[in-house]
Amino acid sequence: MTRFQADYLHQLAGQRTIVWAVTSANHENTRRNPVPYHRREAAIERLSAQTGLRSLVVPIFDTAPTDAFAEVTLKTITVATGIELTPENTILACSTPEVSDLYRKLGFPVALVEADPSLRTIPARPWDVLLRLAAGDEEWRKLAHPATIDVFERYRLVESIRAVVNDPLVGDEGGLTATRDYRTYVEAFADAADRKWKAVRQYVQPGRIVDVGCGAGSLLELADREPALHESDLIGVEVARHLYQECVHKKAQGVFRNANVYFYRRNVLGGAIFADRSIDTTLTFALTHEIWSYGRQRESLLQFARRIFEHTAPGGVWINSDVCGPADPRKSVILRLTTDDGANPAEPRRDLAGRDTAEVREYVGGLSTRARLDQFAVDFAFPCAFEPVGDDAVRIELAAAMDYLTRKDYTDNWLSETHEQFCGLSFAEWSELLAEVGFTLDPASGPLRNDWIVENRIAPVASLTDLDGRPLEWPDTHLFTVARRPRNG
């Protein structure tokens, strides 16, 4: 809140009650709402006590865009307080024209606050003040109300706000991409958790165990059931707001028996989360390709690996499972693709980025395997050059071919998946990166091929040969690394 707001509302309300409808109250650590609701509520209550304003604070959870936003807010206030706000007993104080218009249609009078044309000077809006804070401009302290300054400083919110607002990876809603269906991801994480835990259990060291990119916490649920780990700290780190909230919900519902289960909503690239040499085991599943894709590729991945190394205790371990590129990524191959399993339009569409997810799913899902490659090349955020060789074949680099073949069936999250590169690094290149950071690789580490994907998703609709027509084996699709920090390192 700003000093201007406090003065304006004091003159407007006098002894009447101000109902603060705190929208997006279920958001925190998002660029749009970096401060959690309970801290915003505390600042409002402190401002009210300092200025003599009589206030009611009501949380309004975020909703999908709707023309009934005003009605939803009013009903929420009634449920929370028992008070029915009407045009006869309420004035709306709001400087956002779009929101004000929704209430005007219901008959509410509007006080324009910062947009009031009678003001001699144009005051700074709260969002503008927050952006000054994020930019390091100390002028924000002169504009913000002392109640806000006090809460921000006591709870160390200034640096966290700067980190969230300036984060190059996390969007307005608190995820890597706005086009991802997180319900699908929660289901996929849960289905694969048992298999993942069985693969890593023998390498996990007791103590402080961190799952970075923990999703909905499914893997930590299995760690929680291990008798040998019952005295360990189990820590989940997740950047996506939807998934983090699912973790917190599970903990509140008593899913975890271990009392030492903690969740952090953080982007690891945004700064250190844990003290140096303090973590015994770090787990990452299907995460590193996202860091590569949404960051600065090898530079971001190297930065991430260094951060993991720094927080790993001597003798500790980083266990990573993810996709990877083939051993010879630049090798030119002939890729033949089925044309009779869907539509074959003359040209790919170039307008999917602005389309509804359901429309994208229906369109892409209706294309033949060969036509879907043309669409993939348009939507893929990385180079995917190829040369047609007949109606059903293309000459293409092996890594680009595998990026398409391992992604072609993800029509539910097509626009999200085409912004990620699976084949950025081969296993050999991964090994070099880990050695550069200081890790040593356990013999259990290595590349592998997901034969289920090959047999069920790739081979039925595609074939691979060299330029002379000789059949080629399908290459590696995944890697598994057990990277240890030397005990004297």
Side-chain angles (χ1 to χ4, degrees), residues 110-398:
V110 176
L112 297 173
V113 199
E114 293 89 358
D116 192 328
S118 67
L119 299 173
R120 294 182 179 179
T121 59
I122 301 176
R125 299 170 190 260
W127 180 250
D128 297 326
V129 178
L130 185 136
L131 289 180
R132 289 195 181 200
L133 181 160
D137 181 355
E138 290 302 309
E139 187 73 13
W140 78 271
R141 295 178 182 276
K142 297 180 181 178
L143 300 171
H145 191 273
T148 288
I149 297 172
D150 174 63
V151 170
F152 280 15
E153 289 184 339
R154 277 192 291 131
Y155 291 98
R156 301 183 179 182
L157 295 174
V158 173
E159 288 306 316
S160 67
I161 291 170
R162 286 174 178 159
V164 171
V165 174
N166 298 316
D167 194 317
L169 299 185
V170 180
D172 289 352
E173 303 305 319
L176 293 175
T177 169
T179 61
R180 178 169 291 175
D181 178 0
Y182 284 99
R183 177 185 55 80
T184 302
Y185 279 78
V186 169
E187 294 170 354
F189 291 151
D191 291 343
D194 282 322
R195 172 178 52 80
K196 292 176 179 178
W197 182 245
K198 288 176 182 177
V200 305
R201 172 63 190 93
Q202 61 182 309
Y203 307 106
V204 172
Q205 298 188 13
R208 302 191 76 205
I209 301 168
V210 176
D211 184 2
V212 181
C214 67
S218 300
L219 203 68
L220 291 179
E221 287 184 55
L222 297 176
D224 177 63
R225 300 172 192 170
E226 288 282 345
L229 302 178
H230 76 277
E231 293 185 354
S232 295
D233 288 354
L234 305 180
I235 305 167
V237 180
E238 178 54 55
V239 67
R241 175 176 58 85
H242 310 69
L243 300 178
Y244 168 76
Q245 289 175 338
E246 182 66 19
C247 293
V248 173
H249 175 71
K250 284 182 176 180
K251 183 176 179 180
Q253 294 299 309
V255 170
F256 299 96
R257 293 174 294 185
N258 187 334
N260 296 308
V261 176
Y262 309 96
F263 292 102
Y264 293 86
R265 179 143 186 271
R266 297 286 190 278
N267 170 19
V268 178
L269 292 181
I273 299 176
F274 306 106
D276 289 354
R277 303 176 176 228
S278 66
I279 302 299
D280 298 285
T281 299
T282 300
L283 304 169
T284 53
F285 286 88
L287 171 72
T288 51
H289 75 275
E290 293 190 338
I291 293 172
W292 169 280
S293 301
Y294 292 100
R296 298 182 300 279
Q297 299 182 0
R298 192 181 192 278
E299 180 184 346
S300 292
L301 201 53
L302 183 63
Q303 177 186 345
F304 176 74
R306 282 178 173 151
R307 206 147 272 158
I308 298 294
F309 184 84
E310 288 165 359
H311 80 216
T312 300
V317 63
W318 172 23
I319 304 168
N320 180 40
S321 176
D322 205 350
V323 291
C324 79
D328 191 0
R330 304 281 81 82
K331 179 182 177 68
S332 291
V333 298
I334 300 297
L335 176 65
R336 294 189 179 279
L337 302 169
T338 297
T339 60
D340 60 2
D341 56 348
N344 293 281
E347 296 288 338
R349 286 180 59 171
R350 300 184 180 276
D351 64 343
L352 293 186
R355 299 292 174 172
D356 177 79
T357 299
E359 180 184 348
V360 173
R361 178 175 59 246
E362 181 179 359
Y363 175 75
V364 176
L367 297 175
S368 74
T369 304
R370 172 63 185 87
R372 204 173 295 183
L373 172 63
D374 293 332
Q375 190 63 52
F376 181 80
V378 169
D379 299 324
F380 195 41
F382 301 87
C384 184
F386 57 84
E387 176 187 351
V389 183
D391 293 335
D392 66 344
V394 296
R395 176 174 176 163
I396 189 171
E397 289 187 347
L398 185 55

